[in-house]
Amino acid sequence: MKRHLQLTADGSHTIQIDELNVTYHSKHGAIQESQHVFIDAGISYLHQTKGLKEYQILEMGFGTGLNALLTSIFADRMGIHVSYHSIEAFPLTADEISVLNYGTQLQQKSIFSQMHAATWNTVMPIHSKFELYKHHCKLNTFVTQERFNIIYYDAFAPTAQPELWTVEVFEKLYDLLKPEGILVTYCSKGVVRRAMEAAGFRVTKLQGPPGKREMVRAFRDH
Ligand SMILES: C[S@@+](CC[C@H](N)C(=O)[O-])C[C@H]1O[C@@H](n2cnc3c(N)ncnc32)[C@H](O)[C@@H]1O
């Protein structure tokens, strides 16, 4: 499938796939969206409520590495340790990565390059507060002994990949969370929220990033 670069409204890039009619981020602003959904409503929220020294995070869809980069900045700023696992079935090529402007925009060129250079399927230290484990596989074959405080669920929309938004998928994700863990996602469709609830999650709707009315934070309570 052919992927190409797009500029979003906040000046940061995203990738578009015409065949699936999807972009990796919101056209209203890629950095703005990732910051809102995954950092502010995800790790920052959990850190404010739990105040732990370290967190295990699982991301579905490593993609451009933007969520990983923003999380690494947050970890460094807050002095917390993050073990970041990310699943990706179709990694970007070196040429695609080389034109993305997140490293420059966020003044993190070296860290961003290190994240993309990190070997797949092994844990790689990126800096003293952040280690990265990129899993090169599909979500349905992903297995781990780890359990996570947060899941960043950043799959393509259900219109493009409905098989990634089913009750069975959310049951798997529920089991991957620690008790009192949370899942955050940009998608708040009713059919998705009902699938999460059927899998055992307590689902809450929050204000979405610019251009999107709502997003979801779902809790594993026990
Ligand atoms: C919305 S994009 C992720 C954006 C990414 N989090 C970022 O910060 O750039 C969805 C990602 O899921 C990946 N993907 C699609 N189907 C997958 C599957 N079955 N298992 C794992 N990854 C998949 C795509 O290749 C793509 O990188």
Side-chain angles (χ1 to χ4, degrees), residues 130-200:
F130 191 90
E131 64 184 29
L132 179 62
Y133 196 131
K134 296 189 295 184
H135 301 262
H136 187 191
C137 64
K138 289 195 167 180
L139 177 62
N140 62 354
T141 61
F142 174 69
V143 280
T144 180
Q145 297 306 311
E146 300 285 332
R147 290 297 176 265
F148 301 93
N149 303 101
I150 311 182
I151 294 176
Y152 293 173
Y153 201 65
D154 203 9
F156 289 132
T159 42
Q161 289 193 294
E163 71 280 9
L164 294 178
W165 301 88
T166 63
V167 177
E168 292 70 30
V169 166
F170 288 117
E171 281 172 347
K172 174 170 183 162
L173 298 173
Y174 188 92
D175 289 341
L176 285 166
L177 279 173
K178 298 181 187 191
E180 302 187 9
I182 61 169
L183 176 152
V184 279
T185 184
Y186 65 88
C187 181
S188 65
K189 281 191 157 191
V191 62
V192 168
R193 285 185 280 114
R194 287 190 289 279
M196 288 176 180
E197 281 166 353

Side-chain angles (χ1 to χ4, degrees), residues 24-25 59-64 67 88-89 138-139 154 161:
Y24 281 38
H25 311 92
E59 173 182 41
M60 163 54 200
F62 183 71
T64 66
N67 292 338
E88 177 56 62
K138 289 195 167 180
L139 177 62
D154 203 9
Q161 289 193 294

Side-chain angles (χ1 to χ4, degrees), residues 59 62 65-73 84 115 130 132 152:
E59 173 182 41
F62 183 71
L66 175 57
N67 292 338
L69 184 62
L70 289 170
T71 304
S72 139
I73 294 170
Y84 194 97
M115 287 182 171
F130 191 90
L132 179 62
Y152 293 173

Side-chain angles (χ1 to χ4, degrees), residues 11-123:
S12 58
H13 284 142
T14 193
I15 305 271
Q16 179 157 341
I17 304 180
D18 292 334
E19 264 173 271
L20 289 179
N21 191 27
V22 288
T23 50
Y24 281 38
H25 311 92
S26 162
K27 291 178 178 171
H28 297 273
I31 290 181
Q32 189 175 247
E33 177 192 43
S34 288
Q35 180 70 34
H36 181 103
V37 175
F38 300 105
I39 308 303
D40 298 346
I43 178 69
S44 177
Y45 163 81
L46 200 69
H47 186 52
Q48 277 167 41
T49 55
K50 295 266 177 270
L52 304 177
K53 289 195 170 63
E54 57 178 89
Y55 295 88
Q56 275 76 43
I57 298 179
L58 175 66
E59 173 182 41
M60 163 54 200
F62 183 71
T64 66
L66 175 57
N67 292 338
L69 184 62
L70 289 170
T71 304
S72 139
I73 294 170
F74 181 82
D76 191 38
R77 186 154 51 87
M78 302 307 289
I80 55 173
H81 188 270
V82 170
S83 171
Y84 194 97
H85 289 243
S86 190
I87 304 169
E88 177 56 62
F90 312 105
L92 296 182
T93 64
D95 283 351
E96 288 171 316
I97 293 159
S98 70
V99 290
L100 290 169
N101 66 3
Y102 307 132
T104 317
Q105 292 237 325
L106 297 164
Q107 297 168 342
Q108 296 279 321
K109 276 179 92 162
S110 156
I111 296 286
F112 191 57
S113 302
Q114 276 184 61
M115 287 182 171
H116 281 289
T119 311
W120 291 91
N121 303 320
T122 189
V123 62

